[in-house]
Structure formats: C-alpha cells, structure tokens
Amino acid sequence: MKTTTILNELIEINNDRIEGFQKAALDIKDENIDLKAIFQEYSTQSRKFSQELVALVAGLGEEVETGNTIAGTLHRAWIDVKSLFGGNDRLSILNEAERGEDAIKAAYQLALQKGELGGEALSTVSRQAEEIKSAHDAIKALRDAAKLTS
C-alpha cells in the first residue's frame, strides 16, 4: 500500500470522526454539557489533522480523498458510532465515543505498523497518533468515571 493510500484512509476516518463528534455534540442534553466542549475540541482536532494529511497528499502530487468512507471496518466503526449516539445517559454517550476512538486509534496504529510512511508523512502521522491516543485515553477515563456513578 503506498503512502497516498494510507494518508487518504486517515483523512477519511478523521472526516468520519468529525461528523461523529459533531452529531454527538448536537444530541447532548444539558446534564452532559461538559461533553459538548470536549467533543467539539476533538472534532476540531480531526479537522486540523485532515487538513495536514490533505497537504501531504497534495504535496505528493496525488489525488486527495476528501469525503467519508463506508469501505473498511475501521471507518465503518465511526460511521456505526454516529448512528448510535443519541442515548441521553452519560455512560452510553461515552461508550460510543470510546468505540469510535478505538477505531481511529487502531487506524493510526495500522498506518504506522505498515512501515511504508517516511519523512514528513511519518512524522506527521506519528504526532497525530500520539494526540489521538491522548484523546482516546481522556474519553476512556471519562467513561470509566461515568461507570462508577451509574
């Protein structure tokens, strides 16, 4: 798999993540208003990541995938999560958010494990993967805290 394909897949799952968190933020009720700001932050994070990846693909002179995808299990996981948001209780919202974060974290791990990225692409994807892992861990911590109070 060439660099462009890997980067385009990451663009697509970031686009799915943006939509997932935006949908979740819209569906959140007042008692979970703190989650709205967090979800908006992570949506913005993925928008930035997607833009960085688009610049890399364009820099390679290749065609950029700018949409969302329903091809591939990891991408479908965020799509599935988007359709499941809407539960009003904090634990179900965070369970679905963590499932989506599991999917994007796995996509980044897979991209790095393939060993086909080099130079600026490798450094960008590695940095983004660290930030994705931090976001995942934060969502997981919130979910674990919600388990204790439910």
Side-chain angles (χ1 to χ4, degrees), residues 38-66:
I38 293 165
F39 290 175
Q40 288 170 336
E41 175 189 341
Y42 292 150
S43 177
T44 300
Q45 179 188 60
S46 267
R47 190 170 288 108
K48 176 181 164 249
F49 288 174
S50 187
Q51 290 167 349
E52 292 172 355
L53 296 168
V54 163
L56 288 172
V57 173
L60 294 169
E62 299 287 335
E63 190 164 331
V64 177
E65 295 292 331
T66 56

Side-chain angles (χ1 to χ4, degrees), residues 5-59:
T5 304
I6 294 168
L7 296 175
N8 275 324
E9 286 180 355
L10 293 176
I11 291 167
E12 290 171 336
I13 197 166
N14 270 289
N15 290 344
D16 291 342
R17 184 178 185 237
I18 292 165
E19 281 193 30
F21 275 133
Q22 285 178 337
K23 174 159 181 20
L26 288 173
D27 292 344
I28 287 175
K29 307 292 183 254
D30 288 346
E31 66 271 15
N32 292 308
I33 199 74
D34 61 312
L35 296 180
K36 186 175 287 216
I38 293 165
F39 290 175
Q40 288 170 336
E41 175 189 341
Y42 292 150
S43 177
T44 300
Q45 179 188 60
S46 267
R47 190 170 288 108
K48 176 181 164 249
F49 288 174
S50 187
Q51 290 167 349
E52 292 172 355
L53 296 168
V54 163
L56 288 172
V57 173

Side-chain angles (χ1 to χ4, degrees), residues 87-107:
N88 290 334
D89 71 285
R90 187 175 186 88
L91 183 58
S92 68
I93 293 167
L94 289 166
N95 274 333
E96 297 313 319
E98 195 203 354
R99 273 185 17 156
E101 291 300 274
D102 285 344
I104 195 165
K105 184 175 127 182

